[in-house]
Amino acid sequence: MSKRVILALAALSLALAGCAQGWEDRLPQEPLGPEGLTAQPTSVALPGATNYRAGYTVGTGDRLDIKVYDQPELTGEYRVDGSGRISMPLISTISVGGQTTPEIERRIAAALKRTYLRDPSVSVQVLDYRPFYILGEVRTPGGYPYAAGMTVQNAVALGGGYSERADQGEVIVTRRTRSGDVTAKVPLTATIYPGDIVYVRERWF
C-alpha cells in the first residue's frame, strides 16, 4: 500500500471519530496493478444518482428538523448519532438510520402514541446531510460537507485537486443503499450522494 493511501485512510479515520463503525469495510480495495481493482466495479449509474431526495435514507451525521404539532417541547433539531439513533424527550432514543423521512414520521408518531399523545402529528425534514468522503490520489483527502447537485468533479476540487499520480479518468464511488453497498466506476460528471465514498485511483503509467 502506498504512503499516500495510508495517509488518506488515517485522515478519514480522524474525520469519522465517533461516527458509525464499519466504514472501513465500504472502501474500495487498493489497486493491485494496471488492471485496477481486484474485483472490477462496473461502469454503471449508481442508485439514487439522479435525485438524492427521492427515497433518501437517513444516516449518521444527518441533522433532522422534527416538528410535533402543538408540542413545542418535542419540536426541534436532532442529529443522528453513530448508531443511527436520535434522542427525543419522552421517548428516549429511537432508531432512524436507514429510513426515509415518512418512515421516521410514522415511527415517532407510533412511539408518542404509546407513551404520551393520543393522535400525534409529526413532520420530519433533513436540514443538513451527512458528509461525503474523497480518498486516494487527491491532495487533501477526508470528509467534506455535502451540497445539493455536487458531482465527482466538485468532490475532487474540494479534496484539493488531483495528486501527481492520480488517474484522472473514471473514479470509484461506493454508495450505501437499502439493499447494501454498491461500488461502481463513474465519470467525473456523475452526481454524488450524501455519505458517498469517492476513491481516486493511482495511475500505473
Side-chain angles (χ1 to χ4, degrees):
M1 180 177 291
S2 69
K3 182 178 179 181
R4 186 177 297 276
V5 172
I6 293 173
L7 291 174
L9 294 176
L12 183 59
S13 178
L14 292 174
L16 289 178
C19 293
Q21 297 180 349
W23 61 267
E24 299 95 333
D25 298 332
R26 300 176 55 204
L27 295 178
Q29 300 179 51
E30 182 188 5
L32 300 180
E35 298 304 317
L37 301 183
T38 304
Q40 283 287 333
T42 56
S43 296
V44 298
L46 288 170
T50 56
N51 185 355
Y52 72 94
R53 290 186 178 88
Y56 177 75
T57 55
V58 166
T60 296
D62 287 337
R63 186 164 63 98
L64 307 179
D65 178 32
I66 300 177
K67 291 183 172 63
V68 182
Y69 294 100
D70 294 327
Q71 301 296 326
E73 70 276 16
L74 297 174
T75 294
E77 298 177 4
Y78 298 86
R79 181 77 66 175
V80 183
D81 68 16
S83 61
R85 295 174 175 270
I86 58 173
S87 296
M88 292 186 67
L90 303 179
I91 57 176
S92 187
T93 61
I94 186 167
S95 178
V96 298
Q99 299 176 60
T100 64
T101 51
E103 290 171 337
I104 296 170
E105 290 170 355
R106 291 192 291 270
R107 173 164 286 202
I108 293 173
L112 290 172
K113 192 172 183 178
R114 287 194 302 267
T115 60
Y116 183 63
L117 299 175
R118 183 173 182 178
D119 189 22
S121 178
V122 181
S123 170
V124 177
Q125 292 184 324
V126 181
L127 290 178
D128 293 325
Y129 291 90
R130 57 189 179 271
F132 72 92
Y133 302 93
I134 182 159
L135 299 178
E137 295 299 324
V138 292
R139 298 184 185 278
T140 52
Y144 292 90
Y146 178 82
M150 292 189 70
T151 65
V152 170
Q153 195 166 24
N154 299 141
V156 171
L158 285 173
Y162 293 111
S163 73
E164 295 82 358
R165 298 180 60 85
D167 179 349
Q168 298 186 25
E170 292 180 318
V171 302
I172 298 170
V173 173
T174 298
R175 176 168 301 158
R176 175 150 292 173
T177 70
R178 303 193 75 167
S179 57
D181 291 346
V182 178
T183 298
K185 292 189 294 185
V186 300
L188 298 180
T189 55
T191 303
I192 63 171
Y193 211 68
D196 278 358
I197 296 173
V198 181
Y199 188 86
V200 179
R201 295 184 292 182
E202 182 179 357
R203 71 176 188 272
W204 290 90
F205 54 87

